Amino acid sequence: MIAAGVICAIYILCAIILSLGVQEKRDSCELLSDQPISFWQGLKLVMSHGPYIKLITGFLFTSLAFMLLEGNFALFLKYTLQHREHFQNVLLVIMISATLTVPFWQWFLTRFGKKTAVYFGISSVIPFLIVAGVLKINLIVTYIVAVAAGLSVAAAFLLPWSMLPDVIDDFVLKNPDSPGHEAIFFSFYVFFTKFASGVSLGISTLSLDFAGYQSRSCDQPDSVNVTLKLLVCAAPILMILIGLLLFKLYPIDEEKRKENKKALQLIRDADRDSDSDSIELASNV
């Protein structure tokens, strides 16, 4: 109950900061239309946009991979690696590593591009997962794996979100007469994140139940250890590879992103000049 109260207070505090600290800037020529499009029409347009579909499906698989890893890593440390006295410290190392490496990935994506950052960031955890699944690693190697996992977790959840505005810009350029669908883009992005969380929880629970997991037992059968290796190592690696393949099909690279940004800026400048001419003509009349 105390934890629930703290979480609720954090939610309320974040909502207050967002409401009072962020001012919405609306551009009538871009956000409003003379003939509003219904939600279902807008949803059809959004879901028919190829770059968005490739991005959210790649994000779905990579999110599922890391949620499987995060959801079962504590049990993997306790029963498979036999580090039950250190699992809280290892999890803390993962979170600290993920937090501290966010500025690095921000610099990396601005220097080398977002698609390159996605490939390097998300795939960096694969060798360490292979080591953890195949070898009997000691505590020092476990901490090294935790640092690598945190590095990749930061990339997996930061970089796909940074690519979403590029998809929206591309959509606006291809559908100039249908503005104002940003909420659909972001809401379905969040939906797929929650969907991946639910799927990972269901897969983990069913798999451990079939393997004979006993919740309050100090020792688990060998089938549970094998299942944990599959959930923490094999399954995430497979999901990451599928996600990276989908990101490979994602068409908006750094060159395309700059072209879209330049084209949108030209459109905005033309709209401002048109509005200025209209105001000047009206004042003269």
Side-chain angles (χ1 to χ4, degrees), residues 94-167:
I94 294 176
M95 295 297 102
I96 294 176
S97 175
T99 303
L100 295 180
T101 52
V102 167
F104 167 76
W105 288 120
Q106 176 64 28
W107 169 84
F108 193 94
L109 69 88
T110 56
R111 178 66 176 82
F112 300 101
K114 297 179 182 180
K115 287 187 68 173
T116 304
V118 164
Y119 274 96
F120 276 92
I122 296 178
S123 62
S124 62
V125 76
I126 292 179
F128 297 95
L129 292 181
I130 294 175
V131 171
V134 175
L135 303 178
K136 182 69 175 180
I137 60 177
N138 56 31
L139 185 60
I140 296 177
V141 179
T142 301
Y143 277 106
I144 295 175
V145 172
V147 172
L151 182 72
S152 196
V153 164
F157 289 102
L158 168 69
L159 298 178
W161 276 103
S162 70
M163 298 164 75
L164 183 56
D166 303 333
V167 173

Side-chain angles (χ1 to χ4, degrees), residues 24 45 79-81 92 110 122 128 135 175 189 198 217-218 230 270 279 281 285:
E24 184 177 5
L45 282 173
Y79 298 115
T80 304
L81 300 182
L92 182 61
T110 56
I122 296 178
F128 297 95
L135 303 178
N175 300 273
Y189 218 56
S217 176
C218 295
L230 292 176
I279 293 173
L281 179 61
V285 172

Side-chain angles (χ1 to χ4, degrees), residues 25-277:
K25 297 181 180 180
R26 301 180 60 88
D27 191 345
S28 60
C29 65
E30 293 182 0
L31 297 180
L32 301 178
S33 175
D34 295 335
Q35 297 179 349
I37 298 178
S38 67
F39 169 79
W40 297 110
Q41 291 175 324
L43 179 62
K44 183 179 179 180
L45 282 173
V46 170
M47 289 303 172
S48 62
H49 190 56
Y52 183 64
I53 297 300
K54 294 180 177 67
L55 182 61
I56 60 174
T57 49
F59 184 51
L60 174 62
F61 279 99
T62 54
S63 298
L64 181 57
F66 283 96
M67 287 178 182
L68 282 173
L69 175 61
E70 292 175 2
N72 299 282
F73 197 67
L75 297 178
F76 181 73
L77 289 172
K78 290 175 65 176
Y79 298 115
T80 304
L81 300 182
Q82 298 296 320
H83 297 322
R84 62 187 66 210
E85 295 181 358
H86 301 275
F87 80 94
Q88 293 180 342
N89 296 331
V90 174
L91 294 178
L92 182 61
V93 167
I94 294 176
M95 295 297 102
I96 294 176
S97 175
T99 303
L100 295 180
T101 52
V102 167
F104 167 76
W105 288 120
Q106 176 64 28
W107 169 84
F108 193 94
L109 69 88
T110 56
R111 178 66 176 82
F112 300 101
K114 297 179 182 180
K115 287 187 68 173
T116 304
V118 164
Y119 274 96
F120 276 92
I122 296 178
S123 62
S124 62
V125 76
I126 292 179
F128 297 95
L129 292 181
I130 294 175
V131 171
V134 175
L135 303 178
K136 182 69 175 180
I137 60 177
N138 56 31
L139 185 60
I140 296 177
V141 179
T142 301
Y143 277 106
I144 295 175
V145 172
V147 172
L151 182 72
S152 196
V153 164
F157 289 102
L158 168 69
L159 298 178
W161 276 103
S162 70
M163 298 164 75
L164 183 56
D166 303 333
V167 173
I168 297 177
D169 291 344
D170 187 73
F171 177 84
V172 170
L173 287 174
K174 294 180 179 178
N175 300 273
D177 298 328
S178 181
H181 301 303
E182 291 82 359
I184 299 178
F185 280 97
F186 281 95
S187 61
F188 273 87
Y189 218 56
V190 175
F191 168 77
F192 276 99
T193 305
K194 302 303 180 183
F195 179 77
S197 177
V199 170
S200 66
L201 180 61
I203 292 174
S204 302
T205 303
L206 291 175
S207 300
L208 291 173
D209 184 59
F210 287 138
Y213 172 75
Q214 300 174 1
S215 60
R216 296 192 177 184
S217 176
C218 295
D219 297 319
Q220 300 293 339
D222 292 337
S223 58
V224 172
N225 292 328
V226 173
T227 302
L228 287 172
K229 287 184 178 181
L230 292 176
L231 292 174
V232 173
C233 303
I237 291 174
L238 178 62
M239 297 295 176
I240 288 173
L241 293 176
I242 296 174
L244 292 179
L245 176 61
L246 293 169
F247 282 127
K248 179 67 176 178
L249 302 175
Y250 175 71
I252 304 177
D253 54 11
E254 191 66 14
E255 182 178 355
K256 180 67 173 177
R257 184 188 71 82
K258 291 180 179 179
E259 290 178 0
N260 289 345
K261 184 177 181 180
K262 184 177 180 180
L264 282 175
Q265 188 61 43
L266 291 175
I267 293 174
R268 293 189 180 100
D269 293 340
D271 289 337
R272 291 192 189 97
D273 293 339
S274 177
D275 292 340
S276 299
D277 292 341

